[in-house]
Amino acid sequence: MDFDLGWILLGLPIAFVLGWLASRLDLRQMRIENRRAPKAYFKGLNYLLNEQQDQAIDAFIEAVQKDPDTTELHFALGNLFRRRGEYQRAVRVHEHLLSRGDLTASDRQRAQHDLALDFLKAGLLDRAEDALRKLEGSRYEAQSRLALLAIYERSRDWPEAAEIAQKLQDNGEGSFSGRMAHYLCEQAAARNAAGDTEAARQLLAHAIATAPQAPRPRIDLALMQVKAGQHGVALQTLLDLGQAAPQAMPLIAKAMAQAGTAAGRASQALAALQASYTEFASLDVLEAIVMLEAAEPGQADAARQRYLQHLERQQSLVATARWLSGEKLEHEQFHPQVQRAIEHATRPLTRYRCAACGFEAKQHFWQCPGCQAWDSYPPRRVEEL
């Protein structure tokens, strides 16, 4: 059979036309899809700006389905899930990103960081720790270390917390010596509770060397010395603290007065307290002074007059209540009721308040129970702030 070249010449233009039509159809379909993807994206953005997170998530999911390779949409979707508390869905989004082989190094680090945040928010501390450890050497290194520090503090893993704090300090992220002293004090308290007082003393000595102006190590050491009957040594420890951190005197005033009395060195303790009170009129220091002066024969009434002298320097309902407790009223039979009412009114004024979150407590805390901030409680009562 003869091969007719005419059919070939006729088929080539037809093939060209069909190919051209197919390409036009593909381009048209691509343009339609490209128009739909940005439309879904902007729809989601509009919902997000209007705080309609449910609709925003639906729109972003639609956009991701149309263009699975868009990393920014994945990040936006994962962050939305995390903000809504849907941590499992956020984890799936970020794990999907990490599984992609075409992800850039920068986006991979970002996805790893977001995954760590998902675990943190979900309370999965072990998995969060593993995810944060993988960010060493990345641009998220400082943030990851701060998050690790919070994890170790929360789990009371003080050696690990100290290691991270040292790295942060070495890299110029601020001074963490105060925190590291707290970590050592926490370990000392655990050793002391277990009966290993020598190890506790060594840890406190290390804490003093780490942060010489931190009041807690010396206070804890003085309490241990008092418990061991070493009142003179305890007094000297507190006197040294008064020199190193005079702002902490209200916290140690009562202990200083008691140690001075027990050691037969009440006059030395009184002189230190009076010098501190002259510098700053603290109620706690004033009460310690009154306690020492009232212990002297025939000086009880004169000691109470110090409350009146304090009122000349500062208006204080607490000092008024302390003075009134020893006064005789015209209608003495009503004195107990009046005293109870005043003490009830002054009770909130004698609390301590966290400067970071405002949490109030009857006792002074080194770490706020509310916001977990360290050294956020001033050594002054609420009335003195």
Side-chain angles (χ1 to χ4, degrees):
M1 186 174 76
D2 295 334
F3 188 76
D4 193 351
L5 293 176
W7 287 105
I8 296 176
L9 295 175
L10 181 62
L12 285 174
I14 294 174
F16 174 78
V17 170
L18 290 176
W20 180 81
L21 288 174
S23 66
R24 295 297 297 174
L25 288 174
D26 288 342
L27 287 173
R28 183 181 178 186
Q29 184 66 26
M30 187 181 300
R31 287 171 183 166
I32 292 173
E33 290 178 356
N34 287 338
R35 282 197 298 268
R36 286 178 180 174
K39 183 178 179 181
Y41 173 77
F42 288 118
K43 186 196 301 182
L45 185 60
N46 183 56
Y47 284 135
L48 189 60
L49 292 174
N50 291 323
E51 297 185 357
Q52 297 174 283
Q53 293 188 4
D54 290 334
Q55 294 89 334
I57 286 175
D58 292 338
F60 282 135
I61 289 175
E62 178 185 349
V64 168
Q65 289 173 343
K66 287 185 170 60
D67 188 5
D69 295 330
T70 306
T71 57
E72 287 300 327
L73 286 179
H74 282 79
F75 282 123
L77 194 57
N79 291 337
L80 270 177
F81 284 143
R82 185 169 63 245
R83 287 178 58 186
R84 286 174 51 85
E86 299 181 49
Y87 304 121
Q88 291 183 351
R89 300 179 75 180
V91 166
R92 285 201 299 270
V93 170
H94 294 128
E95 285 182 338
H96 170 69
L97 280 170
L98 288 171
S99 67
R100 286 173 47 176
D102 61 340
L103 206 62
T104 65
S106 177
D107 283 342
R108 186 169 298 280
Q109 292 174 5
R110 181 181 173 187
Q112 184 68 40
H113 180 254
D114 284 356
L115 180 63
L117 293 181
D118 297 337
F119 291 140
L120 271 178
K121 291 291 186 179
L124 303 173
L125 300 186
D126 290 342
R127 299 185 69 181
E129 179 185 355
D130 292 338
L132 290 167
R133 286 287 187 183
K134 294 177 181 177
L135 290 168
E136 285 288 326
S138 73
R139 61 192 176 105
Y140 295 98
E141 182 179 68
Q143 299 176 43
S144 67
R145 285 176 175 173
L146 287 171
L148 280 171
L149 191 64
I151 289 175
Y152 293 137
E153 288 183 356
R154 185 173 171 182
S155 59
R156 303 183 68 81
D157 190 344
W158 306 119
E160 288 287 354
E163 181 184 345
I164 295 296
Q166 187 64 58
K167 288 181 179 179
L168 286 165
Q169 183 167 287
D170 292 343
N171 286 347
E173 298 296 333
S175 175
F176 287 81
S177 58
R179 279 202 190 189
M180 289 188 283
H182 282 300
Y183 302 155
L184 291 166
C185 289
E186 292 288 346
Q187 295 176 71
R191 299 308 306 163
N192 190 37
D196 192 352
T197 56
E198 184 57 32
R201 288 174 185 267
Q202 291 177 5
L203 287 166
L204 291 175
H206 187 191
I208 293 172
T210 300
Q213 294 184 334
R216 184 183 179 182
R218 285 189 171 92
I219 292 176
D220 290 355
L221 180 59
L223 293 176
M224 286 185 60
Q225 291 164 345
V226 167
K227 189 176 180 180
Q230 301 172 322
H231 300 289
V233 178
L235 176 61
Q236 190 58 52
T237 300
L238 295 174
L239 290 171
D240 293 342
L241 173 57
Q243 294 295 321
Q247 73 280 359
M249 186 63 79
L251 298 177
I252 63 174
K254 185 177 180 180
M256 182 179 289
Q258 292 172 342
T261 301
R265 296 161 58 185
S267 59
Q268 188 177 3
L270 180 60
L273 291 167
Q274 288 173 339
S276 174
Y277 181 80
T278 301
E279 186 71 21
F280 187 88
S282 164
L283 279 171
D284 288 290
V285 175
L286 174 63
E287 291 192 334
I289 292 173
V290 171
M291 180 175 71
L292 287 174
E293 290 183 343
E296 299 177 5
Q299 295 299 314
D301 290 337
R304 278 197 318 104
Q305 296 307 309
R306 282 194 170 273
Y307 290 120
L308 292 179
Q309 297 169 12
H310 182 80
L311 292 175
E312 295 176 0
R313 297 184 62 176
Q314 293 182 3
Q315 294 182 354
S316 171
L317 186 59
V318 176
T320 302
R322 299 290 188 270
W323 173 79
L324 190 60
S325 63
E327 287 297 303
K328 291 191 177 294
L329 304 180
E330 182 179 352
H331 301 285
E332 188 61 24
Q333 67 273 23
F334 299 119
H335 193 175
Q337 295 93 315
V338 172
Q339 189 64 32
R340 283 196 299 270
I342 294 178
E343 288 177 356
H344 179 75
T346 59
R347 196 171 296 134
L349 302 177
T350 60
R351 296 174 180 169
Y352 295 95
R353 179 186 297 155
C354 174
C357 69
F359 187 92
E360 293 188 2
K362 294 180 181 179
Q363 68 183 79
H364 182 274
F365 285 101
W366 299 112
Q367 185 181 26
C368 177
C371 64
Q372 305 301 308
W374 290 98
D375 294 320
S376 60
Y377 276 86
R380 311 290 180 187
R381 308 282 180 170
V382 168
E383 188 184 50
E384 300 174 290
L385 297 178

